Amino acid sequence: VVNFMLKLRNNKWTVETDISEYKSFNNYMLQNIQMEKELWDRQQYLNAGEGVSKINRYFNATPVKRMSSRFFVEAKIDVNLDYTATKIATLMKVSRASICKITNECIEEGWVEEYDLKGVRYVQATQYHVDVHIKYLETLTEMRNKYVTDFCAAYKLINAV
């Protein structure tokens, strides 16, 4: 396990790690970038025939869309959570209008559903949206396992020298 810490020293952010060689950390960063690029490629083509690519492209288009997806899925999975567009906007520190726009677009696509409880409009992911998120997590886990294993092996080799 490699531990990383971000520290502010002399008004400059530095990454401190148990890796003593700067070159090793650069290699780790390059591997991480490669992993993210490969993950991106896989997401774009993951079950394209079922329309998953469209939902992936939509939610990966902006950070706000990406995070709103997490709130929608969280609301579907956790029965104790009830999210309104206003609550999501407040928690994300973005405008209510932007979350309402995203919510309405997603409802039209069948990725988000709304329900009314005592006159309050709540939103959550559809089961399809949850299933897509599960496929995303499976792919992400596979990619992380692949690259973390490669990095740990390289780290051991560097330290053995």
Side-chain angles (χ1 to χ4, degrees), residues 8-61:
L8 185 62
R9 293 188 187 271
N10 299 327
N11 292 325
K12 183 178 178 184
W13 286 103
T14 61
V15 177
E16 292 190 4
T17 168
D18 62 356
I19 299 173
S20 59
E21 296 184 29
Y22 179 75
K23 189 173 183 178
S24 297
F25 185 72
N26 280 350
N27 288 338
Y28 171 76
M29 287 192 299
L30 291 172
Q31 282 186 332
N32 190 59
I33 290 167
Q34 184 61 38
M35 179 193 76
E36 289 177 3
K37 287 169 30 183
E38 190 174 333
L39 178 62
W40 173 263
D41 287 342
R42 285 186 179 201
Q43 284 178 308
Q44 299 312 304
Y45 299 104
L46 184 67
N47 293 331
E50 298 174 19
V52 178
S53 289
K54 184 176 182 180
I55 189 172
N56 281 334
R57 281 192 301 273
Y58 180 85
F59 284 114
N60 285 313

Side-chain angles (χ1 to χ4, degrees), residues 1 5 11 18 22 52 61 74 98 115 161:
V1 175
M5 286 192 306
N11 292 325
D18 62 356
Y22 179 75
V52 178
E74 184 182 36
S98 66
Y115 60 96
V161 173

Side-chain angles (χ1 to χ4, degrees), residues 52-118:
V52 178
S53 289
K54 184 176 182 180
I55 189 172
N56 281 334
R57 281 192 301 273
Y58 180 85
F59 284 114
N60 285 313
T62 69
V64 173
K65 287 179 179 179
R66 180 184 295 230
M67 188 51 65
S68 65
S69 170
R70 300 332 188 238
F71 279 95
F72 298 144
V73 170
E74 184 182 36
K76 177 72 171 186
I77 293 171
D78 188 340
V79 295
N80 296 315
L81 284 177
D82 292 312
Y83 284 136
T84 62
T86 301
K87 185 171 183 178
I88 292 172
T90 301
L91 291 169
M92 290 180 59
K93 297 173 180 63
V94 298
S95 73
R96 182 180 178 281
S98 66
I99 296 301
C100 286
K101 181 177 188 245
I102 291 168
T103 300
N104 290 332
E105 290 171 352
C106 292
I107 288 170
E108 286 178 26
E109 291 292 340
W111 304 331
V112 170
E113 58 196 9
E114 61 185 345
Y115 60 96
D116 189 72
L117 188 62
K118 297 181 180 178

Side-chain angles (χ1 to χ4, degrees), residues 142-153:
E142 177 188 329
M143 298 296 298
R144 283 187 176 154
N145 288 341
K146 173 185 172 187
Y147 282 94
V148 167
T149 300
D150 289 351
F151 176 72
C152 288

